[in-house]
Amino acid sequence: MIRPTRIEVDAAAICHNAARLRELSGAEVCAVVKADGYGHGAVEVARAALAGGATWLAVALVEEGLALRAAGVDAPVLVLAEPPVAAAATMVAQALTPTVYRPPLLAALDALGRERGEPVAVHLKVDTGMGRVGVPEPDWDAVLRQAVAAEGVRVEGVFTHLARADEPDQDTTRQQLAGFDRFLARAARAGLPAPKWRHTANSAGTLLHADARYDLVRPGIALYGLSPAQDVDAAAFGLRPALRLVTEVSFAKRVTAGTSVSYGHRWSAPADGWLATLPLGYADGVPRALTNFGEALIHGRRRPFAGTVCMDQILVWCGDDPVEVGDEVVLLGRQGDQRVRVEEWAAHADTITYEIVTQLTARLPRTPAGQR
Ligand SMILES: Cc1ncc(COP(=O)(O)O)c(C=O)c1O
């Protein structure tokens, strides 16, 4: 590594969080590691979550599942969105569990299962109110008829996704869970063998809704120790953030009061003092919205961003504290007794923790915590 900027991922925190989610839900844990493990590195996160007691992994794309297999991860992997029919054979060959909600994929998997003489295990996704993907209620009976007749397919899982589990208002969640129970009852009446895995709960469902947990929970953001919404505090559930964004001062100088810096001269030094330049910017995923607003930890103290966040550089006001090239800087995570939380960035940038961590770009190497 030439550049000192990196993301440090604490596998012990992920492992702890998986164990904690299992303990507090009383259900098995499907660790959601899509989008490169929410920016933390999918393979390392998958291994840590499995070590913490997760029994399933989930990804969004077949490609993400294949990457886990290529890295030697052999745990069950659920592909959450229905893949194109053309991917059916690859999924079966790689033992990736397909989510199914449209008749053509169910038919293709049925044919593959019959051909090989062993049913293909699938999870059926039903729409109970998210309205995004999943079998809509008017089609439930038709899909159940098809699934019951499909000798080449075994429906080992049935699931739905909650739209508003992170909100104080619980009516929608209650209605969705009632819809899910209605589907399960109809499935039993249609003659579908009871599915082993019934699941509805994302992180917010896992943390806040005991009735949503069923046999398996599917936490993503909580596995990373992050909050699913501004008023749901992951730390209050004993979850630990796993990621640090770390760099070093690349340039340091004293400036006089009134000196203006960075694009647009949107900031001027309030006094004579030290200004540090950091070698990262919005091309690494630091939101430009943190201009004049973000804070970095240097020498264990919070130091404010000075002026516009650039593509590859950020300036930080250090006041009377002399800084030197090479001093460690933490943009997210802990340094000494201080911590900058992903939740703070999300609030400043008017977004959610999910977007912050998934937009930390590939330019930042992911390294195990404490290795440098
Ligand atoms: C189907 C499904 N389940 C679970 C999750 C995990 O959600 P969260 O990160 O809120 O726990 C997602 C993520 O969007 C999802 O799409």
Side-chain angles (χ1 to χ4, degrees):
M1 258 195 272
I2 296 173
R3 188 190 188 208
T5 313
R6 73 256 179 208
I7 286 175
E8 292 182 356
V9 179
D10 180 359
I14 302 277
C15 179
H16 162 88
N17 293 340
R20 182 76 194 106
L21 290 161
R22 185 170 181 155
E23 177 187 55
L24 69 80
S25 68
E28 297 215 17
V29 172
C30 174
V32 179
V33 301
K34 61 185 176 154
D36 198 24
Y38 287 44
H40 291 62
V43 171
E44 294 71 17
V45 168
R47 292 204 175 109
L50 293 167
T55 45
W56 277 85
L57 302 169
V59 293
L61 311 177
V62 175
E63 287 84 344
E64 293 174 333
L66 295 176
L68 292 173
R69 290 288 182 252
V73 175
D74 60 6
V77 174
L78 177 64
V79 179
L80 292 167
E82 197 186 82
V85 170
T90 304
M91 295 186 79
V92 171
Q94 293 289 319
L96 300 174
T97 304
T99 288
V100 179
Y101 37 78
R102 292 178 61 249
L105 183 65
L106 193 53
L109 293 166
D110 183 20
L112 282 168
R114 287 173 198 250
E115 214 175 280
R116 71 170 187 175
E118 189 197 332
V120 177
V122 305
H123 288 216
L124 208 54
K125 182 169 190 186
V126 291
D127 185 14
T128 57
M130 178 71 172
R132 195 169 60 169
V133 290
V135 186
E137 189 153 359
D139 299 342
W140 285 358
D141 290 327
V143 88
L144 283 167
R145 274 195 301 278
Q146 188 186 358
V148 168
E151 284 170 15
V153 162
R154 183 166 53 84
V155 178
E156 69 164 11
V158 171
F159 76 105
T160 196
H161 194 50
L162 302 174
R164 304 182 67 176
D166 57 328
E167 296 178 20
D169 172 56
Q170 301 188 359
D171 284 356
T172 306
T173 303
R174 247 183 250 121
Q175 283 163 18
Q176 285 200 257
L177 296 178
F180 189 63
D181 289 339
R182 209 159 53 242
F183 178 81
L184 292 171
R186 275 213 236 167
R189 274 204 303 279
L192 193 79
K196 178 167 183 204
W197 305 106
R198 297 163 302 163
H199 48 111
T200 74
N202 55 2
S203 294
T206 305
L207 299 177
L208 305 176
H209 299 274
D211 323 350
R213 293 167 187 158
Y214 293 87
D215 311 302
L216 185 69
V217 292
R218 301 188 311 268
I221 203 77
L223 180 69
Y224 305 95
L226 302 174
S227 304
Q230 287 294 345
D231 48 9
V232 181
D233 180 12
F237 293 91
L239 300 167
R240 304 209 301 246
L243 175 147
R244 287 204 329 151
L245 173 54
V246 189
T247 189
E248 290 174 2
V249 172
S250 60
F251 195 80
K253 59 181 175 289
R254 265 188 83 79
V255 295
T256 52
T259 304
S260 300
V261 298
S262 196
Y263 288 119
H265 280 184
R266 293 190 180 93
W267 180 92
S268 303
D272 293 359
W274 287 90
L275 199 58
T277 304
L278 316 182
L280 82 174
Y282 61 77
D284 298 290
V286 181
R288 195 167 174 277
L290 296 185
T291 291
N292 278 343
F293 225 79
E295 290 177 320
L297 302 176
I298 304 181
H299 304 163
R301 295 185 59 182
R302 283 180 175 255
R303 296 295 182 187
F305 285 14
T308 306
V309 171
C310 307
M311 187 182 291
D312 316 299
Q313 310 201 49
I314 296 170
L315 294 153
V316 173
W317 173 241
C318 299
D320 289 335
D321 187 15
V323 274
E324 284 181 32
V325 169
D327 288 351
E328 185 196 69
V329 184
V330 173
L331 286 108
L332 286 172
R334 185 177 284 285
Q335 188 189 57
D337 327 329
Q338 290 286 327
R339 178 192 288 283
V340 178
R341 301 172 73 231
V342 173
E343 286 81 354
E344 293 174 43
W345 280 26
H348 290 326
D350 195 19
T351 184
I352 52 176
T353 50
Y354 303 70
E355 192 178 34
I356 297 294
V357 286
T358 56
Q359 293 197 358
L360 295 169
T361 66
R363 216 162 75 155
L364 298 168
R366 273 63 173 170
T367 61
Q371 198 175 69
R372 221 155 180 277

